[in-house]
Amino acid sequence: MSDDSLVILVVGIGIAAWLFWPRGKAKVPRVTPEAPRRPTKPKREMTPDELEVERARRAFEQNDRDRDVARHEHTQENAAARERVERARKYAIDSGLDKVVPALWQKVEHWGSWVGMPDRWQPPEGVTDIGGGGGRDDRFATWSWGGRHYRIGLRRRPNYMPDGDAEFGYIDVAVDGEAVLTLACTRSGYESWEEWRMAAVDMLKVGSWMADLVRCAGHIRLVADRQTWRTFAKTDQERASRIDLGDGAA
């Protein structure tokens, strides 16, 4: 057999083997049968009255959607102002002015009247240039301490809430003739001993006056507390002098 015949024979055997060699069966895709559908009832046409109710319902829902859109737009437009107001509120809280200023006003509210009664009231040590005045709804007090001149006043505002018993007002602070702080405040009743509480910061100018005012308020409070403590101590001592417990102590 020649070489060419041998090559043809080998190629033929290879082709035959490829054609008749058994192969794996092709995979048939699995088909999931569809779930039977429930028969749907034909939709009943609405009566004229029902159509009007449906129109009103859609209008009501559209109102809510329109309001949500408008509120979002307003929030975005007001974001910078809101952030500034919240920062001012945080400054007032962190510095203690939210509590110091209302408490200070309660201490000095009547100084303008008391200063004219030296036999009954003496100003705290180091406090000078005391003044004040005004009516119930718009009062102020002034004084000097520690090289600064202070003015603090209250402007009451009416409560228009029909069932509210709270009182509203603004406490204004000026230092050395410059307005530096206004707190919007509220309190739960109309009695003079009720404490005012900060609701919001209406105006603020950050500066060195903040620490000075806090120190001034602390001095005024300490002087008043010492007077109260001395009064209590004197009362206790007088009572103790009249008590005999049989222990020989006098």
Side-chain angles (χ1 to χ4, degrees), residues 149-185:
H149 185 72
Y150 297 95
R151 186 187 192 277
I152 184 171
L154 172 68
R155 294 176 287 129
R156 283 185 172 87
R157 291 296 177 264
N159 178 7
Y160 295 107
M161 300 298 292
D163 58 347
D165 61 351
E167 189 174 9
F168 301 98
Y170 294 90
I171 299 180
D172 303 305
V173 178
V175 180
D176 296 334
E178 180 183 12
V180 293
L181 176 66
T182 296
L183 297 183
C185 296

Side-chain angles (χ1 to χ4, degrees), residues 77-233:
E77 294 172 356
N78 195 51
R82 184 73 258 170
E83 190 271 339
R84 197 170 186 83
V85 168
E86 289 302 320
R87 281 177 58 196
R89 178 181 178 85
K90 185 176 186 301
Y91 286 174
I93 294 173
D94 290 348
S95 64
L97 290 172
D98 65 315
K99 294 181 175 61
V100 167
V101 170
L104 179 61
W105 169 246
Q106 285 192 304
K107 294 289 186 185
V108 306
E109 178 179 2
H110 301 290
W111 277 11
S113 302
W114 294 349
V115 72
M117 301 181 293
D119 56 329
R120 300 181 59 184
W121 180 79
Q122 293 295 323
E125 180 182 355
V127 176
T128 60
D129 303 326
I130 296 174
R136 179 185 181 277
D137 293 334
D138 193 351
R139 297 179 59 82
F140 71 94
T142 61
W143 72 95
S144 296
W145 182 84
R148 284 191 181 272
H149 185 72
Y150 297 95
R151 186 187 192 277
I152 184 171
L154 172 68
R155 294 176 287 129
R156 283 185 172 87
R157 291 296 177 264
N159 178 7
Y160 295 107
M161 300 298 292
D163 58 347
D165 61 351
E167 189 174 9
F168 301 98
Y170 294 90
I171 299 180
D172 303 305
V173 178
V175 180
D176 296 334
E178 180 183 12
V180 293
L181 176 66
T182 296
L183 297 183
C185 296
T186 182
R187 64 180 181 178
S188 59
Y190 291 89
E191 302 297 339
S192 60
W193 59 80
E194 293 284 350
E195 291 186 358
W196 290 94
R197 298 181 182 276
M198 183 188 79
V201 176
D202 199 63
M203 189 272 286
L204 172 64
K205 292 183 179 179
V206 175
S208 60
W209 66 268
M210 299 168 71
D212 293 341
L213 179 64
V214 171
R215 283 192 290 266
C216 178
H219 172 73
I220 292 171
R221 178 183 178 183
L222 181 58
V223 171
D225 287 345
R226 282 175 174 169
Q227 291 175 346
T228 301
W229 297 336
R230 282 196 293 266
T231 300
F232 288 161

Side-chain angles (χ1 to χ4, degrees), residues 13-31:
I13 293 172
I15 292 174
W18 180 82
L19 289 174
F20 295 102
W21 192 268
R23 296 180 178 84
K25 295 182 179 180
K27 293 183 178 179
V28 179
R30 184 178 181 182
V31 179

Side-chain angles (χ1 to χ4, degrees), residues 3-118:
D3 295 337
D4 292 339
S5 299
L6 181 61
V7 170
I8 293 172
L9 178 62
V10 171
V11 171
I13 293 172
I15 292 174
W18 180 82
L19 289 174
F20 295 102
W21 192 268
R23 296 180 178 84
K25 295 182 179 180
K27 293 183 178 179
V28 179
R30 184 178 181 182
V31 179
T32 303
E34 293 185 0
R37 296 181 180 180
R38 295 182 180 180
T40 57
K41 294 181 180 179
K43 190 173 183 180
R44 181 180 62 84
E45 292 187 1
M46 293 185 178
T47 65
D49 289 346
E50 291 173 336
L51 286 172
E52 294 302 327
V53 172
E54 177 64 15
R55 289 179 59 222
R57 182 189 67 80
R58 292 179 180 178
F60 177 78
E61 293 177 350
Q62 186 62 45
N63 287 346
D64 283 347
R65 289 192 291 269
D66 292 344
R67 185 175 184 275
D68 289 341
V69 171
R71 180 172 55 184
H72 177 73
E73 292 174 351
H74 172 76
T75 301
Q76 294 298 109
E77 294 172 356
N78 195 51
R82 184 73 258 170
E83 190 271 339
R84 197 170 186 83
V85 168
E86 289 302 320
R87 281 177 58 196
R89 178 181 178 85
K90 185 176 186 301
Y91 286 174
I93 294 173
D94 290 348
S95 64
L97 290 172
D98 65 315
K99 294 181 175 61
V100 167
V101 170
L104 179 61
W105 169 246
Q106 285 192 304
K107 294 289 186 185
V108 306
E109 178 179 2
H110 301 290
W111 277 11
S113 302
W114 294 349
V115 72
M117 301 181 293

